[in-house]
Every structure is written in structure tokens, then in C-alpha cells.
Amino acid sequence: MQLAPLSDDRRNVIGLYHERLQAACEESDDAGRLCRLLEEDSALAERFDRVLMASDYAANVCISHPDLLLALHDDGLLEGGGRDDIDGLLAARLQPLVDDQDDSGGEVTLKEALRLFQQQQMLRLIWRDVCRVTSVRDLCGEISALAETVLEQTLDLLHGWCVREWGEPIGEDSDRPQRLVVIGMGKFGAGELNLSSDIDLIFAYPEAGTVQTPDGAGDMTNQQFFLRLGQQLIDALDTVTVDGFVYRVDMRLRPYGSDGVLVSSFDAMENYYQLQGRDWERYAMIKARVVAGDHESGAALLQRLRPFVYRRYLDFSAFESLRGLKLQINKQVRRKGRQQDIKLGQGGIREAEFVVQALQLVHGGRDHSLQEPSLYRAMEAIREAEYLPAELIDELDEAYTFLRDLEHKLQGYANKQTQALPSSEKERQRVAFAMGYEAWASLENDLRHHRDTIHEHFNEVIRTEEEDEAEHHQVEEGPFPALWRGDFGEERAVAALEQSGFEDPKASWQLLDGFHSDRQFRTLPEQSRQRFDRFMPLMLATLAGEKTPSLGLTRVMQMVEAVARRTAYLVLLVENPGAMRQFVRLCTASPFIAEFLSQHPVLLDELLDGIDEPPGKNELQDELTQGLLRIDPQDLDSQMEYLRYFKLSHTLQVAAAQVTGTMTVMKVSDYLTFTAEAVLEKVLALAWDTLQRKHGHPVNSEGRHGEMDFVVLGYGKLGGIELSYLSDLDIVFLHDGALEQETIASDGQKAINSREFYTRLAQRMITMLETQTISGRLYEVDMRLRPSGESGLLVSSLTAFRKYQEEEAWTWEHQALVRARAVAGSQRLASAFTDLRAAVLSAQRDPEKLCEQVLSMRGRMRRELTRKAGSKRERPPFRIKQGPGGIVDIEFLVQYLVLSRSSDCPDLLRWPDNIRILEEASKHGVMDGEQPDELIEAYLALRGTLHRYALHEAYLENPLEALQPHFDTVHRVWISVFGESADPASQESPAEPDEGT
């Protein structure tokens, strides 16, 4: 904003102040010096006149206390200066008072010193604002820093006085001296105060205890000590004297408000917010920040209160709460005729704050970058995380900054706490000038634009009550609200459900009536029942659009019953009709998803967006990395929870994509596999960092250190890029450490040998993957494919692994190696493993002996699994996977193909997955005719059916009959490759496996 010119009529206003200053010169040497300085420095005089025009308050301070302006000029604080300069100025003023505590002088002198200091600093801040020396945002920070300086030093002084008079408050449990904690709330907590803001404070102290006097007596409690100290602090700042006041202090945000005690212990604070904290207090506590006193203990208190403010799940009840608060504000504005209030009126400062803070409350429990008192920094975090489009945030930022700038000018005019636009023409013109406008009409036009912008975005993010009612009007006109409330008898309710398309209306009514009359529902708090009254009719209306709404209702109610006492999840669906439709559709189609959501309702927010194309591995890695960056690196519990959420959310997304038909079985497996790889890489990185901090750097076989000479191998479905929803992870660990060489450790680290380092690394990875938390476990891990199986070392060196594979491994272990690849860790070791795998698999083998060993292994596997399966052997999933012509037969064919032909056709070694190995076989004519393509077709059909069974979708009419042509094809190829004597059907009878398997 450009500075407005000083026109003639404006100079008339300034002239009156110059006349008063000239008159003051006759009585004050300081006034005379100021006049001479202004005559000598035209640039200073120009700025001085601007300040006189913009602020009556600043003009009066300059005239009545010219020494304050002169001191600021002499110290260079009008144009520059920082927090340390201001701290030093106040400390110098208060230093003489440290030992002066008598009632007749000390406190009066303290009040006078504080008020004159505040007048000088207000003059400095108004000067810097009007002359555009600083930005709006930085000015807010300077005002807040000033308030912190005044509070901190005043509290230190008063605390010293009180200790000398009454003794030292000592903690009952810690036996340590106690200090008051002053928590700033509102704009003070945000570090974004206005020029004439009051300061919202909460007082707390760490522990109960007694005050110990020098003689050991203790007849005052800590509560009494800090109560009196708090009263003295308020009195020093808030009391109006002949010099005015320092700050208006507002304590109404403390527990129980004006009826509560002035100062509470930490335990009392935590107990209050956990048991009685209200929604508006959650909103207020976003901005809580320690501003004076015991900062370390205060930070620990705010950490204890954080779960009250930020929920672990996406908390869309924030919209509901803020909508209610805005409704109350609107009523207050209308009642008091304050439509011109730029803070509370439509499109005002409060609406901009609500937009940002709603998203903080919704997402902040999961995204710690949003747990930010500053509104400006919170907007930056929202932009960075893309919770709102960058263009919207830019518009909101610009509009909010304009209003805050105008707010400073309104308050700086007379040092009054006001956000009301002026009514007099004279004041309007002066405010317009301060804002850099020629005329009020131009300012008013821009103001209208910015308020419209804020209100538009407010309505986009937090729907108004009118819009909310319009959206639900159609549902309210239907039968479902009355049906849910119980206004219908059974006969009429069943008829209404039948008319709405429910295929089993009586069963649906009984399910609804049973839930409504169940004690679990009847004992819910009133707010929770009100949320159900909004949710259930919407849910029933959405179900009515499905083909099988009664079936859908039985599945949806799994989740509803699971979250009956956590109804904020229901609010998410009510607030997002698209998510409600997706939720109903998916649960109706798949009981797997219904059960999945009932176990993990925190994932409901993932229904807000569908998937058109599955993310690639790089995108998954980036998402996981960005998510973990928002978590304290030392907070392992939160890191593990986020890893589990990441895995669960992508499992749900891929299941939803498969149910809706937007993802093929190959893409489903790729997606699930890439998700697992991203998790493994991050788990390895976290485990590596932890062990390095404790033990230093391991040394590798070549004597180097500082590199991660460790690799995770994926076998089976993980190695073959064929994971399904419930797959465990078959993994093997390799390292290239110098076995007995100790780690390179520094001070505070305990050196261990490399073998132990990598063993601990593997153990820590397994622990992180398998530990059961509130979100379940990441993955089950199967390590039985490592050298020597369960009796072997947890981690093998690359050298030992090579020797084992070349000299000791069974044929079935080489079969397993076909579907093995490096999935995380050292790229150098991954490359070395790839070469080792190729060398082992391409070794020359006796064809007859190989055929015999592969068939023997398949026969033993079939007999053992058939025996264990019992009656389950007739079920489609078992038959599809293990029966003759099933998936495992195809896998054995592929493994045999690689072991027998890769010495002649190295391209068979390029891939670890069955489909691409068969594609290479087709390309190079390794198998007869159309056999590779037939096996590919059969394999995709069989795996696709298994995936559908994993989702528990409606079974095919006769799934095995539909798949019989594929079974026959695989059986035919099997006989072609292994001969008539290898007919799988002849190996069905149970028998004990041969020794040595």
C-alpha cells in the first residue's frame, strides 16, 4: 500500500497539533528540542505529521511526553530495533525497583514505570505502522513480543518480592521451587496482537505444596501464594492510574470462566479439560502458548492438554461446533447492531479465523504441522499440505491481512479496543489516510471486496445453517426422520421401507428398532443422540438408492454400532454427502470393507476422495515421508501409528477401487506391494537411525563405515509383486558387515560389533512391523525362508548366503529364490543379490533329477495342506489355490521353467513375478505354442477370483464351475511338461511328508 499524500485539509488537522507542540515548547525543554529536530530533519518531520494525522493517541503522547519520542529517535528504535533492545529498555527501568517493595513507594513506582514504558512503545509501534516501516504480520509479532516482555519482567519482579515476603513455594512431589505459568490465549497466544488488544491469560502452577519460609515454617499453600501473585500481576498491568493502564487483562478463558479460581494446578487443569471441557474451549486452546513464567513446565502442561484439543481421527465435529459458535456471534451482532464490525460481522476477521481453525481441529490430531497457535503459520501449513487450494489460501491471507491492517488503524487512532468502522466523516478520512487511501469511498470499496472473499470461503469450508438445512430438506420430507424417531408403528415402518425399495423391510425395521431401543443408544449423551438423529435419516435415504438396501443396512450398522460412542465419525459422513454415498456403496458391496471400517473408523475420511489411477511407488514413498516429517522424530509411538494408518488407508483405497471396478487385479497387487515396500523402507530407515544414535556406524567387509550395508529381500507374494489384502511378508535379511569389527562410536554411544548391530537392526524392524497398537499391526512377518529356516541366523552375511545357496540349499529353496528380490536397503547389496540370484538360478541342473525334486515337493505340499485343510479343501478359495490346475500348480510350473531353462534363456531371470516370467517364455519360445499365454489367462482369472473372495463380495453362482476351463488348461500344461505320471489328481490322498522336507 502506498502512503497517501498530505493534502491541505489534512495539513489543517496536523496544524492544530503543531500549535499545541509550539505552546509546549515554552514550558518544556524536551518539546523545544523536538521542534528543532523536526525543523532540521524534513524526512522525520514528514513521518511525524503522518503519525499526527493517523492517531490522536500518538499525537497527545508526543505533545505531553516529547521525551519519549526523542528517546526512541536517539536509540534508533523508530526505524529499527528488535526484541533484545526492548527487553533491555524495560529491564533498565525496572532494575531500581528490584529491592524496593514497600507499600508506600515500590508498587506505585512499578505501575508508573510500566505505564510510561508502554506509552513509549505504543508510540513506537503506531509510528512504525503508519509510516509502513514494518509489515502487518511483523507488526503483530512486535506487539506480542512487547506484551511478553512486559509480562515476563513484571512477573519476575513480583515473584521476587513475594518470595522475600512469604517464602518459596515448593512442590509436594518434586520438592523443587515452583514458578507461575502464564498462558497466553487468543491473539496473544498466536503472537498476533492488535495495537490496542486486551490480553487473554490463564494462570497455572505445576504442583500442590506449601511455601517454605527461611525458618522452615510453612503456613501458606502454593495455591494461596500463586493466587496472590496472580492478583498482583493483574493489578500491576490492568489498574487505571493517572498514567492510564498497561494492558486490559481478561481471565475469562480459565477453567469455569469468571466463576473459577484464578490459578489452578496442572492436575486440576488437566482434570477440568478432560471431564468438562466444552467445544468452544477446544477452539480457544488452539492458540494457547506459554508467554511468561516457567516456560519448560508450561510446555509440558500444554502437551498434556493437547489430546483435548486435537483428536487422533479426522474430527469433522469441528465444523458443527464452529457453525454453532458463528450462529451465536451472528445473533449477538444483530442484537447489538454491529454489522459494521470488521471482526464479528459478515466476512470479518472471525470468519477468516474460523476457516483456518476448523481445518486445524479437523486435521490437527494427525498432522502436527497444523498444531500451530499462529493463524499465519497455520495458513502456511494448510497450503503446504493442500487441505485447501493455494489460490484460496492466498486470497484468504490477503483479505485477512487487509482487515488486520485496518484494525490497527482503528485502534491506533485513539488507543481503543474497537473493530467498528467510524461513523464520523472526519475520523473516516483520517483512517483512510492511515491506510494509504485518498478517500474513504476507495477504502470502503476494497474492504467490501475482501469481506466478500472471506465470507465466500467461509461458506465453502463451514456451511451456514441455512445451506445445511437446504441440503437436508429433501430428506426431512421423506419417511426416514419420522421412522427413525419412532413415530411409525411397525406395520407403517415396514411399509415405508418397502416402498423405499428395501428388499427385506421387516428385517431392516427390526435392526433399526433394536438399535434405537438398545441400552447402548439410550444411554448416549444428548449431543450424541442429536448427531444420530441427523445421521440415520441421511444414511437410510442414501441406502435407498442402492440395489440391495437391506443387505447394505446390515453391513453399514456394523460400523455404526462400533462408533456409537464416538459420534464425531458420523459427523464426517453428515458433513460430506459424497463420503456418505461412497461409504454406503462400498459397505453394501463388500462386507470386508464394512468390517474393515468398523475396526478402523479413523479411515472414514479416506472416502472423501476416490482413486482414478493407483499411485506409483515414488508417490507412496513421498506421501509417507511427508507424513512422518510432520511428527517429532523422537516420538516413536506416533511414527508407528502413522505407519499403520498409511498402510490401512491405502488398503481401504485399493479395496474401494477394486469394488468399484476401477482397478484390475494386477494393479491391485502392484498397489498393495508398493505400499508394503514403502513401509519397509521407512521402517528400515527409522530403525537404522535409532541404532546409529545408540551405537555409531557399523563397519563393512571392505573396512568402510557410514553406509547402510543391509538389504531386505522379499520372497513369495512380496517378491513376486503379488500381495493380496491379508498377505504376510516373507522376508530375509542380508548384510555385508565386518562380523567382529566394532562400530565407530562417538561420545555417549556404546560400540558393538557389526554382527550384533545388524541383528538388532533386523529385530527392531520385526518389532516395529509386528507390534500390536491401537491400530493393529503393520504386517505379520515370516522369516522361515532364510538359510537353515527357523534354526538359522536372523541375518546372514552376503558371503554366507552365497555359500549356502551354492552348497546347501534344497531345490525348493531355489524354487523360492525365483520369486525373490531386494525390496529395501542398500542399492549396492541389492545389485549384488540380483547377480547372486541369477548365478544360482541359471546353474546347470540334471533335468530328470530336477523334475523329480519339483514333483516330489509339490506332492508333499499338496498332501500336507490337504490334510490340514480338512473340510475346507472343498471350499472355493482352497480349491482355486491348492487344487489340481490351481494357482500353486502354475507357480511350480514357472519355477521349474526358470530352474531348467534360464541357463539357455537368461531373460527368464529378469523378473520375479509369474506373469512377466511367462511373458518372457512366450517371447523366446521357451514353452510350447500358446501354453504361456494360456497360463497367464488362467493365472489372472484364478487370482482375480481369490481377490474377490478376500473382499467377501457376493460369491459367483458356481465359481468352481466357471473356473473349470482354466483348471483344465493348467492340468493339460502340467501333464505336457511333467508327463502322465505326474497327474496332480493322483496326489490328493493325505500322507505324511517324506523326511527331510
Side-chain angles (χ1 to χ4, degrees):
M1 181 69 68
Q2 297 296 317
L3 297 175
L6 283 167
S7 57
D8 291 340
D9 57 334
R10 288 166 179 163
R11 293 194 179 278
N12 290 336
V13 174
I14 295 167
L16 296 176
Y17 286 119
H18 275 282
E19 290 176 8
R20 288 180 54 195
L21 181 60
Q22 289 293 336
C25 290
E26 300 176 4
E27 301 178 3
S28 166
D29 291 340
D30 288 328
R33 183 185 163 211
L34 177 59
C35 288
R36 290 192 297 275
L37 182 62
L38 293 172
E39 290 174 1
E40 296 167 359
D41 189 336
S42 59
L44 179 67
E46 175 77 10
R47 294 189 183 93
F48 180 72
D49 287 350
R50 289 186 177 281
V51 173
L52 298 183
M53 182 66 191
S55 172
D56 277 347
Y57 170 79
N60 289 324
V61 171
C62 288
I63 294 168
S64 58
H65 295 287
D67 56 309
L68 299 181
L69 179 60
L70 289 168
L72 289 172
H73 175 267
D74 293 344
D75 292 337
L77 296 179
L78 292 175
E79 305 296 329
R83 173 77 180 263
D84 291 342
D85 299 299
I86 307 306
D87 286 350
L89 286 175
L90 181 58
R93 284 180 179 265
L94 298 185
Q95 180 58 41
L97 306 177
V98 172
D99 298 318
D100 186 4
Q101 190 184 353
D102 62 282
D103 293 338
S104 61
E107 293 185 22
V108 173
T109 306
L110 171 62
K111 290 176 182 175
E112 180 182 5
L114 289 174
R115 281 149 183 77
L116 289 177
F117 176 77
Q118 180 71 358
Q119 287 181 25
Q120 183 185 47
Q121 293 308 310
M122 279 295 292
L123 174 59
R124 179 180 73 90
L125 292 166
I126 291 172
W127 183 290
R128 290 169 65 79
D129 179 36
V130 172
C131 296
R132 301 292 178 184
V133 175
T134 187
S135 67
V136 175
R137 180 174 176 176
D138 288 344
L139 179 68
C140 293
E142 290 182 38
I143 300 168
S144 303
L146 172 63
E148 290 177 53
T149 292
V150 171
L151 263 174
E152 193 77 76
Q153 295 197 30
T154 305
L155 178 60
D156 284 347
L157 184 66
L158 292 173
H159 181 85
W161 288 359
C162 291
V163 168
R164 286 203 300 273
E165 183 174 357
W166 305 320
E168 188 85 62
I170 303 296
E172 191 171 63
D173 297 325
S174 67
D175 199 35
R176 295 171 57 186
Q178 304 287 291
R179 291 293 305 270
L180 186 69
V181 172
V182 182
I183 299 172
M185 305 291 286
K187 287 190 173 69
F188 189 20
E192 295 164 355
L193 278 176
N194 310 320
L195 271 171
S196 190
S197 287
D198 58 6
I199 54 175
D200 296 291
L201 303 178
I202 293 177
F203 294 154
Y205 62 95
E207 296 177 50
T210 56
V211 176
Q212 300 298 317
T213 59
D215 61 7
D219 58 356
M220 178 187 289
T221 66
N222 287 356
Q223 170 76 29
Q224 293 168 325
F225 179 95
F226 289 116
L227 174 62
R228 294 183 186 181
L229 174 59
Q231 290 169 336
Q232 289 188 16
L233 181 60
I234 294 171
D235 179 62
L237 301 177
D238 190 88
T239 299
V240 178
T241 71
V242 293
D243 297 305
F245 60 91
V246 185
Y247 292 106
R248 290 172 291 266
V249 178
D250 191 336
M251 300 294 298
R252 290 175 296 175
L253 293 179
R254 68 186 187 269
Y256 302 104
S258 300
D259 296 328
V261 294
L262 187 68
V263 57
S264 301
S265 70
F266 284 9
D267 287 344
M269 289 274 288
E270 185 175 21
N271 183 65
Y272 171 80
Y273 286 112
Q274 282 185 349
L275 300 179
Q276 302 185 56
R278 290 159 289 182
D279 284 340
W280 69 264
E281 287 175 302
R282 283 187 65 204
Y283 166 73
M285 288 297 290
I286 290 176
K287 293 181 177 294
R289 180 174 63 93
V290 180
V291 293
D294 187 343
H295 285 260
E296 184 177 347
S297 296
L301 171 63
L302 293 182
Q303 193 63 37
R304 288 167 64 176
L305 300 181
R306 193 137 296 183
F308 165 70
V309 184
Y310 297 104
R311 305 294 194 249
R312 186 173 63 87
Y313 47 82
L314 279 197
D315 183 16
F316 278 80
S317 65
F319 291 144
E320 186 180 65
S321 301
L322 291 175
R323 193 180 296 124
L325 277 175
K326 189 62 175 71
L327 183 62
Q328 294 177 24
I329 291 170
N330 289 346
K331 290 178 180 178
Q332 181 184 23
V333 167
R334 288 192 293 267
R335 185 172 65 250
K336 296 184 178 181
R338 298 170 67 177
Q339 284 82 358
Q340 291 300 301
D341 191 303
I342 65 167
K343 178 180 179 180
L344 301 179
Q346 181 173 297
I349 291 169
R350 185 54 53 84
E351 284 191 2
E353 292 172 340
F354 274 16
V355 170
V356 174
Q357 289 167 325
L359 293 170
Q360 287 182 274
L361 287 174
V362 170
H363 299 280
R366 185 182 305 158
D367 186 345
H368 292 192
S369 70
L370 294 179
Q371 295 181 9
E372 173 58 62
S374 163
L375 194 85
Y376 279 110
R377 287 197 291 272
M379 280 196 281
E380 291 168 0
I382 289 169
R383 178 194 286 107
E384 181 70 23
E386 299 182 349
Y387 294 119
L388 288 176
E391 307 79 46
L392 189 155
I393 288 293
D394 291 341
E395 290 177 359
L396 194 66
D397 190 332
E398 181 184 359
Y400 178 74
T401 298
F402 181 91
L403 292 185
R404 293 300 308 276
D405 192 13
L406 179 56
E407 184 181 35
H408 288 315
K409 304 307 184 290
L410 295 175
Q411 295 187 352
Y413 180 77
N415 193 22
K416 290 182 180 179
Q417 188 187 21
T418 180
Q419 285 88 14
L421 295 174
S423 55
S424 75
E425 184 61 27
K426 175 184 175 182
E427 188 174 344
R428 285 184 172 186
Q429 291 305 317
R430 293 180 67 179
V431 169
F433 168 79
M435 286 289 289
Y437 286 88
E438 287 278 3
W440 175 258
S442 299
L443 184 153
E444 199 168 33
N445 185 60
D446 284 355
L447 173 62
R448 187 180 305 110
H449 165 72
H450 288 304
R451 292 183 71 167
D452 288 346
T453 296
I454 289 174
H455 190 61
E456 177 185 347
H457 295 325
F458 174 81
N459 286 339
E460 289 173 358
V461 177
I462 305 174
R463 293 173 299 171
T464 62
E465 185 182 33
E466 292 77 13
E467 291 170 322
D468 196 46
E469 288 300 323
E471 186 171 296
H472 292 82
H473 181 66
Q474 187 174 357
V475 174
E476 290 293 334
E477 285 188 335
F480 299 121
L483 186 149
W484 166 248
R485 288 193 303 267
D487 297 347
F488 294 170
E490 178 176 352
E491 184 177 344
R492 187 179 174 190
V494 170
L497 288 168
E498 184 177 21
Q499 189 175 5
S500 298
F502 283 72
E503 73 276 17
D504 193 349
K506 186 170 184 179
S508 296
W509 163 245
Q510 290 172 344
L511 181 60
L512 291 169
D513 185 56
F515 178 76
H516 197 278
S517 58
D518 187 81
R519 184 176 181 277
Q520 181 186 26
F521 176 78
R522 289 188 289 105
T523 57
L524 288 175
E526 178 62 26
Q527 183 189 49
S528 295
R529 291 200 301 274
Q530 289 175 357
R531 288 175 175 173
F532 267 104
D533 288 344
R534 293 186 68 206
F535 171 79
M536 293 300 286
L538 282 170
M539 185 265 286
L540 290 169
T542 308
L543 274 168
E546 295 295 315
K547 292 180 180 179
T548 54
S550 292
L551 175 64
L553 180 62
T554 62
R555 294 174 177 175
V556 166
M557 289 303 292
Q558 282 183 269
M559 195 283 296
V560 172
E561 291 172 0
V563 302
R565 295 198 172 275
R566 294 173 289 170
T567 52
Y569 289 119
L570 305 183
V571 177
L572 182 153
L573 296 172
V574 171
E575 294 282 351
N576 296 277
M580 174 76 88
R581 289 190 293 272
Q582 182 82 325
F583 165 68
V584 165
R585 180 185 181 189
L586 293 174
C587 288
T588 301
S590 170
F592 168 84
I593 293 179
E595 183 178 354
F596 195 76
L597 286 171
S598 69
Q599 293 173 346
H600 309 289
V602 70
L603 298 173
L604 279 170
D605 66 283
E606 297 298 333
L607 303 179
L608 297 176
D609 300 302
I611 299 178
D612 296 321
E613 278 294 320
K617 184 178 177 181
N618 290 340
E619 293 175 81
L620 291 166
Q621 290 171 321
D622 289 344
E623 179 187 337
L624 187 51
T625 298
Q626 291 302 315
L628 288 169
L629 284 175
R630 300 186 184 111
I631 298 173
D632 182 349
Q634 306 302 318
D635 188 353
L636 179 61
D637 289 342
S638 294
Q639 289 174 332
M640 290 178 67
E641 276 304 309
Y642 181 77
L643 285 166
R644 280 153 180 75
Y645 178 84
F646 175 84
K647 185 248 184 165
L648 291 171
S649 67
H650 284 287
T651 300
L652 175 63
Q653 289 184 40
V654 72
Q658 185 174 346
V659 165
T660 56
T662 61
M663 201 173 292
T664 65
V665 65
M666 289 288 287
K667 286 189 175 182
V668 166
S669 291
D670 287 350
Y671 192 164
L672 292 171
T673 304
F674 294 156
T675 300
E677 288 181 46
V679 168
L680 281 169
E681 288 173 349
K682 194 54 65 176
V683 166
L684 173 56
L686 293 172
W688 174 263
D689 289 343
T690 299
L691 284 173
Q692 271 199 323
R693 287 196 300 271
K694 292 176 65 174
H695 302 297
H697 303 288
V699 178
N700 69 15
S701 60
E702 297 177 358
R704 298 196 307 271
H705 69 273
E707 300 175 11
M708 183 191 289
D709 294 292
F710 182 89
V711 69
V712 183
L713 307 181
Y715 276 71
K717 291 182 178 178
L718 175 61
I721 319 176
E722 295 171 354
L723 281 185
S724 60
Y725 296 102
L726 303 177
S727 296
D728 58 9
L729 301 184
D730 293 295
I731 55 178
V732 171
F733 300 123
L734 298 182
H735 74 88
D736 188 31
L739 299 182
E740 304 305 326
Q741 176 73 47
E742 286 197 339
T743 54
I744 308 300
S746 57
D747 292 343
Q749 295 177 333
K750 180 182 178 182
I752 57 177
N753 65 49
S754 295
R755 184 201 304 273
E756 185 177 357
F757 182 96
Y758 285 119
T759 299
R760 292 189 184 185
L761 180 62
Q763 290 170 335
R764 189 169 186 85
M765 282 192 69
I766 294 171
T767 298
M768 292 179 69
L769 291 168
E770 291 198 322
T771 295
Q772 192 79 22
T773 72
I774 55 177
S775 299
R777 69 178 64 188
L778 268 172
Y779 292 97
E780 289 192 29
V781 175
D782 191 334
M783 294 287 299
R784 290 176 296 176
L785 289 175
R786 68 185 186 268
S788 302
E790 293 179 331
S791 63
L793 294 173
L794 187 63
V795 188
S796 297
S797 70
L798 183 65
T799 301
F801 184 80
R802 177 183 290 108
K803 181 178 180 182
Y804 179 85
Q805 291 292 338
E806 291 175 349
E807 299 177 8
E808 302 177 47
W810 295 72
T811 298
W812 67 263
E813 291 178 288
H814 289 166
Q815 289 180 244
L817 197 62
V818 171
R819 292 210 295 172
R821 63 190 176 93
V823 293
S826 165
Q827 290 299 314
R828 182 179 68 84
L829 279 189
S831 178
F833 167 76
T834 300
D835 293 342
L836 185 158
R837 171 181 175 271
V840 170
L841 295 181
S842 62
Q844 291 288 343
R845 292 175 174 83
D846 183 326
E848 291 186 8
K849 186 177 180 181
L850 176 62
C851 181
E852 178 185 341
Q853 290 169 334
V854 171
L855 289 174
S856 175
M857 185 61 202
R858 181 64 185 120
R860 286 196 296 268
M861 177 188 287
R862 191 188 306 280
R863 291 192 297 271
E864 179 67 10
L865 292 175
T866 301
R867 180 180 64 81
K868 289 180 178 180
S871 61
K872 293 181 181 179
R873 60 182 292 195
E874 300 302 326
R875 294 184 180 179
F878 184 85
R879 176 69 181 81
I880 292 169
K881 185 173 183 181
Q882 296 292 345
I887 286 175
V888 176
D889 280 356
I890 298 175
E891 292 172 346
F892 266 68
L893 280 165
V894 171
Q895 291 159 12
Y896 174 76
L897 181 69
V898 172
L899 292 175
S900 63
R901 299 299 304 276
S902 59
S903 59
D904 302 324
C905 182
D907 284 349
L908 294 176
L909 301 172
R910 291 180 61 195
W911 310 105
D913 62 293
N914 294 305
I915 296 296
R916 279 183 283 202
I917 291 173
L918 288 169
E919 288 174 345
E920 291 295 335
S922 177
K923 186 193 321 184
H924 295 285
V926 174
M927 296 185 74
D928 294 339
E930 302 298 321
Q931 287 182 349
D933 296 331
E934 291 174 334
L935 289 178
I936 290 173
E937 183 181 353
Y939 192 66
L940 290 175
L942 297 176
R943 280 187 57 211
T945 305
L946 272 188
H947 273 282
R948 288 195 293 275
Y949 271 93
L951 291 177
H952 296 184
E953 287 190 272
Y955 294 141
L956 301 173
E957 190 73 25
N958 292 296
L960 295 181
E961 182 178 327
L963 292 173
Q964 192 58 50
H966 297 298
F967 293 142
D968 293 341
T969 295
V970 176
H971 182 267
R972 175 169 46 79
V973 175
W974 181 276
I975 297 300
S976 170
V977 172
F978 293 116
E980 291 289 343
S981 61
D983 189 344
S986 66
Q987 301 168 348
E988 284 290 297
S989 59
E992 290 299 319
D994 296 341
E995 292 183 9
T997 53

